[in-house]
Amino acid sequence: MPAAPDRVIRPAILRRLLAMSYEILLMSGVVAVLMIAPHVLIGAFAHRLATPAILWAHLFLVLLVYFIWFWSNGGQTLAMKTWRIRLLTKEGLPVRPAQALLRFLLCWPSLVLGGVGIMWALIDRDGQFLHDRIAGTQLVTA
């Protein structure tokens, strides 16, 4: 049974940042292995190297599938399980795939624009990241 939104325990910002750092560490190995696929396939069939555009698109798709799958199936990535953090809707329900996609797409500008979406948590009344506030999601202690 989902917890009431006003009774959830939200993880501290430092804990969320450490979980993000651990996620980067875990995903580095996964991405390193999966980035071989475009080179092998294009090399085998077209006898050329994969272009940077193809590699960036492949990286984006790998990350998209990883995060959407884990967020919409249990609400936790591998790093989130380790740090006991779960993603829920603002109502305390499991995240739907469309909502996970929205959060994923909003994470990028939140991080790329100097981390403004992360720093937003310092002034947000609930301590949420900007992309969580817009997507209607929240991170809670599992």
Side-chain angles (χ1 to χ4, degrees):
M1 180 153 98
D6 57 337
R7 301 172 83 192
V8 298
I9 300 171
R10 291 186 177 87
I13 294 172
L14 180 60
R15 184 174 181 175
R16 289 181 279 167
L17 293 175
L18 289 171
M20 287 171 62
S21 299
Y22 188 53
E23 193 80 67
I24 291 168
L25 179 68
L26 291 175
M27 288 306 297
S28 295
V30 172
V31 166
V33 170
L34 291 177
M35 290 307 284
I36 295 170
H39 286 296
V40 171
L41 291 173
I42 291 173
F45 295 111
H47 303 292
R48 47 185 6 180
L49 293 176
T51 64
I54 290 173
L55 294 176
W56 279 110
H58 179 71
L59 174 65
F60 185 81
L61 287 174
V62 166
L63 294 176
L64 178 108
V65 168
Y66 173 83
F67 284 106
I68 297 210
W69 171 260
F70 281 106
W71 286 341
S72 58
N73 291 288
Q76 293 177 296
T77 62
L78 300 174
M80 291 168 78
K81 287 179 184 180
T82 302
W83 285 90
R84 297 186 48 221
I85 297 172
R86 182 178 303 275
L87 181 68
L88 299 172
T89 65
K90 64 182 177 182
E91 293 82 21
L93 301 171
V95 175
R96 299 176 318 278
Q99 201 168 17
L101 174 62
L102 177 62
R103 184 179 194 265
F104 178 80
L105 295 174
L106 291 171
C107 284
W108 288 103
S110 188
L111 292 168
V112 173
L113 297 175
V116 69
I118 303 301
M119 290 185 287
W120 174 267
L122 297 172
I123 60 170
D124 187 83
R125 69 178 180 271
D126 297 322
Q128 289 191 24
F129 295 141
L130 184 58
H131 50 270
D132 283 317
R133 175 68 64 194
I134 297 170
T137 58
Q138 62 178 336
L139 293 172
V140 298
T141 301

